Amino acid sequence: MKNQLLLLNKMNYKSRKVFEMTTGKQVKQETNENETFRAIDAFMTTKRKKVLHAFLIQDEWKHGDLAAAAETSPASLSNIMIKFDQFPYPLLSCRSAGKYRYYSLTDLGKAYLAYSGEDDRPARPAALLNHEELLTFREIKDCLNQLKKTYEDDWDYMLDTELLRRIYFGKPTETGIEADRLLTAIGKLEGFENETLSYRMMELFPSNILRNRLAEFLNLYGTFRLITKALEAGDNVFPVFEAINRFIAGTAAEQDVKSLGWADRFSDLKVLFRKIADKCKNCEKEELFRCLNWYLPGNEVLAAYLCNLIWKHEN
């Protein structure tokens, strides 16, 4: 009987130890998880939350579609994604397929959404990189290296100054030829709508201020691109010019641009033409033409047409 009691006590001690070890592991795991989730909570901003919450609708998003779902521009999304990449806890995974980038949640991303009271969902296909797109990306890298060589420690200040000049239609200068070439190449790359290369381009700029400024510039560039893309289609030239006339005259209504597929950028177009009109009050006509050429490289005829039309209306 005594031996049986001793054996029973031993067994109880062992099972107690196993239970304590198991419970200890669980507590430690739960503690680590809570610390991780608290760190993610601290990392979350309104914009980052919008990106994560888009995955409640579907499991995988193409870059441009995710930007629309998160109510931001593709350029701004690239900047947001760099922040996700730099964050020590991987919430999103990305795969490149030709010119497109596809995003999905990692297991941790799904766990975080579940922890924060949200939930989760599967996948998509591909395309091939175009030679001209790769050449343009190479040109951006070369121009950036040349800018750094020319201005050394001041290169980022120089580029920021040139970006501000374009964003606010400042006075064109004869200096900054390298920045001019760089921003023209960046605009050209944006025109290809290659999400993979656009993201890689954003990664070339280490400063968050520069990336935000670039996103602002590209958003403005994209508004001009609405016009050039519609004209490239070739079958609706007249309604495009009619819509432009109304914007310049300040009489455009939202229904005027629905047929052109511009309805979601209506406010952007209004702001753009207001900016150009304000520019007319403080500059010569030739200066305005040069400013328009920043956003319409290779489209000098369109730049001249817009310049004359706006100038006539404002003066």
Side-chain angles (χ1 to χ4, degrees):
M1 184 70 175
K2 193 177 177 182
N3 287 343
Q4 283 175 326
L5 283 170
L6 278 170
L7 185 62
L8 194 61
N9 280 336
K10 272 185 186 176
M11 284 171 69
N12 285 339
Y13 174 77
K14 273 187 182 176
S15 59
R16 217 168 44 245
K17 270 289 174 202
V18 169
F19 174 75
E20 283 168 9
M21 283 168 67
T22 307
T23 307
K25 271 185 191 171
Q26 284 173 343
V27 169
K28 195 175 178 184
Q29 189 179 339
E30 281 172 18
T31 305
N32 288 342
E33 275 179 5
N34 288 336
E35 283 172 7
T36 300
F37 291 147
R38 277 198 294 273
I40 298 170
D41 276 336
F43 169 73
M44 279 300 134
T45 61
T46 304
K47 286 182 179 178
R48 291 167 197 167
K49 274 181 187 170
K50 280 185 177 180
V51 170
L52 275 195
H53 288 174
F55 292 93
L56 299 171
I57 303 164
Q58 62 187 51
D59 276 353
E60 189 170 67
W61 286 96
K62 200 169 76 174
H63 186 95
D65 295 338
L66 180 57
E71 298 173 349
T72 188
S73 68
S76 296
L77 181 64
S78 291
N79 202 7
I80 293 166
M81 286 306 179
I82 287 171
K83 295 291 182 192
F84 272 107
D85 286 347
Q86 291 170 345
F87 187 56
Y89 301 103
L91 299 169
L92 297 172
S93 64
C94 173
R95 66 182 180 87
S96 292
K99 61 157 66 173
Y100 299 109
R101 288 172 67 80
Y102 293 92
Y103 302 103
S104 56
L105 290 172
T106 60
D107 288 341
L108 178 59
K110 290 175 184 177
Y112 175 73
L113 279 183
Y115 154 85
S116 57
E118 324 293 356
D119 237 324
D120 43 89
R121 289 188 199 208
R124 267 189 214 197
L128 273 171
L129 282 172
N130 175 299
H131 182 59
E132 194 183 352
E133 292 166 8
L134 289 171
L135 283 178
T136 304
F137 183 70
R138 166 53 59 193
E139 187 185 353
I140 290 168
K141 290 179 86 171
D142 291 345
C143 289
L144 186 57
N145 288 335
Q146 188 56 50
L147 188 75
K148 288 176 178 178
K149 208 166 153 185
T150 305
Y151 296 99
E152 297 178 335
D153 291 344
D154 295 328
W155 74 271
D156 49 353
Y157 169 76
M158 174 63 186
L159 183 56
D160 192 43
T161 304
E162 289 301 315
L163 281 165
L164 283 169
R165 190 170 282 134
R166 281 156 175 76
I167 291 163
Y168 297 105
F169 287 89
K171 193 176 178 65
T173 62
E174 299 306 324
T175 58
I177 294 164
E178 288 87 356
D180 223 24
R181 283 181 55 226
L182 172 64
L183 293 173
T184 301
I186 287 172
K188 186 179 174 186
L189 184 73
E190 200 65 11
F192 292 128
E193 298 177 355
N194 184 323
E195 295 154 2
T196 300
L197 290 182
S198 290
Y199 182 85
R200 283 173 60 193
M201 179 273 293
M202 276 291 194
E203 282 187 310
L204 297 174
F205 301 92
S207 154
N208 193 40
I209 290 172
L210 264 185
R211 286 200 305 268
N212 280 326
R213 204 84 81 197
L214 260 176
E216 203 176 342
F217 162 72
L218 288 172
N219 199 38
L220 199 53
Y221 193 96
T223 309
F224 274 99
R225 183 84 186 118
L226 284 178
I227 300 166
T228 53
K229 271 175 83 174
L231 291 172
E232 282 162 17
D235 55 351
N236 57 355
V237 172
F238 183 73
V240 170
F241 280 103
E242 281 294 287
I244 290 168
N245 276 315
R246 284 193 288 272
F247 270 110
I248 290 166
T251 58
E254 200 158 345
Q255 59 267 26
D256 290 336
V257 292
K258 271 186 181 170
S259 59
L260 296 169
W262 294 354
D264 59 334
R265 301 291 299 274
F266 183 74
S267 58
D268 291 345
L269 281 157
K270 278 174 76 174
V271 168
L272 169 65
F273 283 109
R274 189 66 260 150
K275 269 188 178 181
I276 302 170
D278 289 343
K279 172 70 181 171
C280 281
K281 297 176 181 122
N282 306 303
C283 75
E284 297 298 317
K285 192 196 254 191
E286 192 181 342
E287 188 184 314
L288 176 64
F289 171 69
R290 286 172 64 199
C291 284
L292 288 168
N293 264 329
W294 282 335
Y295 290 99
L296 296 162
N299 284 285
E300 285 81 5
V301 173
L302 179 59
Y305 171 79
L306 286 174
C307 178
N308 280 319
L309 203 60
I310 295 165
W311 194 265
K312 190 177 170 183
H313 188 271
E314 295 297 320
N315 292 283

